[in-house]
């Protein structure tokens, strides 16, 4: 294997067609390791411990997973196959709660099974493969279109701040929030990008800074508590982040700390742009209050990354993985179908109604 992650898909079907190949993101940036996931437990764990992560990449993984797992499902009858399919779907759906792309992709795959009621499993499996590969290919096209739309919001030489990793590593290619940056890079825009390190799992420092630097983008890592300073200094012209779920009113769940960035951006007059494939927009969730926020292991805050524990034993820890940015703090939501502006209840509805 080569050693530039930009040359590889973050997630794809393995060469033998019976597994899912991913770049193990828990090992980056120190080691570029590829894993082939074959069993439901391997796939569940890879999503849960963030070997594969980021809303779109989780969705593509889930779609490919349902195809790969279907190869080993009982093939005696449609009913038997469907029962096992539903069990695996529900199992994978429990791996992480916040990113809607997981259930979105699982439901798309499930729809293929439901739409072909009574079909022999051997005939259904190729249809599942087709759908999984469609979701995979669509992810690449969608991210590219988000990049083109996002690029219209910035100009040459701009400073851009991003939080977490909504980069190539959160999708198959391009990423969402980094798509305008990569397209701009190709066109000589000369952006300089500030990457919040993103405590506690450091997706900004470990992943975003790594991939942007590999692509030759002028990249600076800052601790999360430094974003106000760089904004006050006037070094940031726009903020681009990704998201895990956009509610119908524009409230947006993304990596913990995003709402702090948005509040500070409002204070300093920096536009906060959320990059969202329409698969991340959940019109069934009316506002951010209904979004389930994942809480993770306290050790991620107190011990991980440190040589020795950095908080007293047994101290209480609150470790939510995401927060919700109020729609009022968001200047625009950039999708593959166009840019939604406030009021989001209307603009998102229009975008979702488009073909
Ligand atoms: O916990 P993670 O690393 O999966 O969180 C990812 C994020 O918060 C991303 O910003 C989000 O999924 C958007 S990726 C387009």
């Amino acid at each position: 294997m080569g050693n530039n992650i930009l040359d590889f898909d973050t997630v794809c079907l393995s060469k033998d067609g019976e597994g899912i190949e991913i770049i193990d993101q828990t090992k980056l940036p120190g080691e570029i390791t590829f894993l082939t996931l074959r069993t439901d437990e391997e796939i569940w764990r890879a999503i849960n411990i963030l070997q594969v992560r980021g809303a779109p990449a989780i969705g593509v993984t889930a779609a490919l997973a349902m195809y790969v797992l279907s190869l080993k499902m009982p093939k005696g009858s449609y009913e038997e196959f469907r029962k096992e399919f539903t069990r695996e779907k529900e199992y994978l759906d429990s791996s992480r709660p916040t990113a809607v792309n997981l259930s979105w992709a699982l439901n798309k795959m499930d729809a293929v099974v439901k739409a072909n009621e009574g079909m022999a499993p051997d005939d259904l499996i190729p249809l599942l493969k087709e759908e999984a590969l469609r979701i995979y290919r669509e992810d690449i096209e969608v991210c590219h279109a988000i990049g083109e739309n996002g690029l219209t919001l910035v100009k040459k030489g701009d400073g851009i701040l991003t939080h977490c990793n909504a980069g190539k590593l959160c999708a198959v290619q391009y990423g969402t929030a980094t798509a305008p940056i990569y397209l701009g890079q190709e066109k000589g825009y000369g952006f300089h990008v500030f990457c919040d390190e993103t405590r506690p799992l450091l997706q900004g420092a470990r992943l975003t800074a790594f991939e942007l630097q590999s692509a030759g983008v002028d990249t600076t890592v800052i601790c999360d508590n430094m974003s106000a300073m760089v904004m006050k200094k006037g070094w940031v012209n726009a903020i681009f982040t990704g998201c895990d779920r956009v509610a119908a009113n524009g409230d947006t769940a993304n990596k913990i700390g995003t709402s702090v960035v948005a509040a500070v951006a409002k204070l300093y007059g920096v536009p906060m742009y959320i990059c969202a494939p329409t698969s991340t927009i959940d019109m069934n969730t009316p506002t951010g209050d209904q979004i389930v926020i994942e809480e993770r292991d306290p050790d991620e805050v107190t011990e991980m990354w440190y040589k020795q524990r950095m908080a007293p034993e047994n101290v209480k820890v609150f470790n939510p993985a995401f927060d919700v940015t109020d729609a009022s703090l968001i200047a625009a939501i950039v999708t593959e179908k166009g840019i939604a502006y406030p009021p989001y209840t209307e603009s998102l509805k229009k975008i979702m109604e488009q073909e």
Side-chain angles (χ1 to χ4, degrees):
M1 284 289 178
N3 60 4
N4 189 337
I5 49 151
L6 299 174
D7 297 337
F8 298 94
D9 288 350
T10 302
V11 49
C12 61
L13 201 58
S14 64
K15 281 199 187 64
D16 65 10
E18 293 179 5
I20 305 169
E21 189 171 281
I22 60 162
I23 298 168
D24 182 352
Q25 301 195 33
T26 61
K27 299 267 192 316
L28 292 172
E31 243 178 72
I32 299 176
T33 308
F34 295 86
L35 295 176
T36 303
L37 313 170
R38 296 185 187 279
T39 68
D40 55 357
E41 282 174 9
E42 284 169 353
I43 299 164
W44 190 96
R45 181 171 177 273
I47 296 174
N48 184 260
I49 69 167
L50 277 53
Q51 284 174 321
V52 59
R53 46 144 300 285
I58 293 174
V60 173
T61 303
L64 294 174
M66 291 315 300
Y67 162 64
V68 164
L69 296 174
S70 76
L71 296 171
K72 292 189 192 128
M73 287 179 194
K75 307 214 173 42
S77 69
Y78 171 84
E79 286 69 29
E80 216 186 345
F81 180 85
R82 178 160 168 180
K83 197 170 161 210
E84 181 60 2
F85 193 90
T86 306
R87 192 190 67 74
E88 292 286 30
K89 171 185 174 264
E90 284 167 7
Y91 174 62
L92 292 183
D93 209 11
S94 70
S95 55
R96 289 193 83 186
T98 305
V100 70
N101 302 60
L102 178 62
S103 52
W104 172 86
L106 291 170
N107 288 336
K108 289 243 168 216
M109 295 299 284
D110 196 40
V112 174
V113 176
K114 286 189 177 145
N116 292 286
E117 188 156 4
M119 188 182 264
D122 279 334
D123 296 331
L124 254 178
I125 289 171
L127 302 183
L128 289 168
K129 181 176 186 182
E130 206 176 291
E131 180 67 353
L133 291 178
R134 197 190 58 73
I135 290 172
Y136 156 87
R137 280 192 299 270
E138 193 180 84
D139 182 80
I140 300 171
E141 285 159 25
V142 160
C143 287
H144 194 272
I146 288 174
E148 282 174 341
N149 290 336
L151 198 55
T152 64
L153 298 168
V154 279
K155 53 187 192 322
K156 288 191 171 176
D158 270 357
I160 295 172
L161 185 139
T162 188
H163 187 78
C164 192
N165 175 269
K168 182 218 149 61
L169 289 162
C170 83
V172 179
Q173 296 172 9
Y174 305 113
T176 58
T178 55
I181 299 171
Y182 285 130
L183 296 196
Q185 177 77 0
E186 280 168 21
K187 296 180 184 186
Y189 270 60
F191 296 132
H192 46 274
V193 179
F194 293 94
C195 300
D196 277 357
E197 71 175 346
T198 317
R199 285 276 296 151
L201 292 181
L202 308 182
Q203 289 94 332
R206 291 190 307 110
L207 307 177
T208 311
F210 175 60
E211 57 166 86
L212 290 179
Q213 197 184 46
S214 306
V217 176
D218 179 7
T219 305
T220 304
V221 174
I222 56 171
C223 298
D224 299 334
N225 52 9
M226 297 170 189
S227 59
M229 182 172 183
V230 296
M231 283 191 240
K232 189 171 181 186
K233 278 184 175 294
W235 293 347
V236 180
N237 304 93
I239 293 160
F240 282 112
T241 73
C243 57
D244 286 79
R245 191 181 296 245
V246 181
N249 72 341
D251 289 350
T252 293
N254 190 47
K255 179 53 56 194
I256 191 73
T258 305
S259 66
V260 180
V261 173
V264 174
K266 184 90 169 179
L267 179 66
Y268 292 116
V270 179
M272 173 85 188
Y273 300 126
I274 302 288
C275 296
T278 48
S279 55
T280 309
I281 299 171
D282 181 4
M283 299 304 277
N284 295 321
T285 297
T287 75
D289 292 344
Q290 290 83 43
I291 299 177
V292 177
I293 301 291
E294 175 184 14
E295 282 190 40
R296 296 185 63 89
D297 191 336
D299 290 358
E300 290 178 352
V301 175
T302 56
E303 298 187 17
M304 211 170 165
W305 320 114
Y306 295 125
K307 278 197 177 138
Q308 63 189 63
R309 190 182 163 90
M310 279 296 149
E313 289 292 344
N314 302 321
V315 74
K316 279 187 275 183
V317 173
F318 178 47
N319 185 18
F322 302 96
D323 61 18
V324 174
T325 298
D326 198 89
S328 64
L329 299 174
I330 299 170
I333 299 176
V334 184
T335 79
E336 76 277 18
K337 295 184 180 173
I339 303 177
Y341 292 97
Y344 293 113
T345 311
E346 288 161 32
S347 57
L348 290 178
K349 192 163 176 278
K350 266 196 202 138
I351 281 194
M352 295 307 276
E353 280 166 2
Q354 269 178 49
E355 272 309 295

